[in-house]
Amino acid sequence: QVQLVESGGGLVQAGGSLRLSCAASGSIFGINPMGWYRQAPGKQRELVARIFVGGSPNYADSAKGRFTISRDNAKNTVYLQMNSLKPEDTAVYYCNLATIARQYWGQGTQVTVSS
């Protein structure tokens, strides 16, 4: 089994920054794709950013230029640096880890951006 533990969410003013962290443990070897998704009330969960073993990132259009995803493969940890936050970024952010068998999700961390 895989466990994901997220941290770093909170309340921030528009234009501010937050850094999310997700530590993975269990039956993994530090070679799995990891990413961040978010879900606002009444909306579907959407991809924010994803990063692969070699460090190549993918970003949603809404995140490009503002968010940066990175990972420490040895620690099985992924980070999301969020700058220039907007009220529309308000959502529950979920860490994701993909294995051959299935995908795993963290419990979610709330990010609230006020105007």
Side-chain angles (χ1 to χ4, degrees):
Q1 298 296 313
V2 174
Q3 298 82 42
L4 303 176
V5 179
E6 300 142 316
S7 62
L11 174 65
V12 67
Q13 294 286 322
S17 299
L18 286 173
R19 188 187 188 220
L20 306 183
S21 299
C22 173
S25 62
S27 301
I28 52 178
F29 302 96
I31 61 174
N32 306 91
M34 297 181 69
W36 290 95
Y37 292 69
R38 68 186 181 189
Q39 187 168 24
K43 296 185 177 180
Q44 292 188 326
R45 190 171 299 184
E46 64 177 358
L47 173 69
V48 178
R50 183 169 55 193
I51 190 167
F52 298 90
V53 176
S56 179
N58 296 126
Y59 296 98
D61 288 342
S62 61
K64 291 179 180 177
R66 299 188 300 125
F67 295 0
T68 302
I69 189 169
S70 61
R71 68 185 294 169
D72 184 333
N73 291 326
K75 297 181 178 179
N76 292 318
T77 300
V78 64
Y79 306 92
L80 185 68
Q81 178 67 45
M82 304 187 294
N83 298 326
S84 302
L85 283 163
K86 305 174 181 179
E88 52 262 43
D89 294 318
T90 296
V92 177
Y93 284 69
Y94 296 91
C95 182
N96 169 268
L97 183 149
T99 69
I100 295 175
R102 59 164 288 183
Q103 296 194 29
Y104 293 87
W105 298 93
Q107 79 285 354
T109 184
Q110 177 70 47
V111 172
T112 302
V113 184
S114 64
S115 59

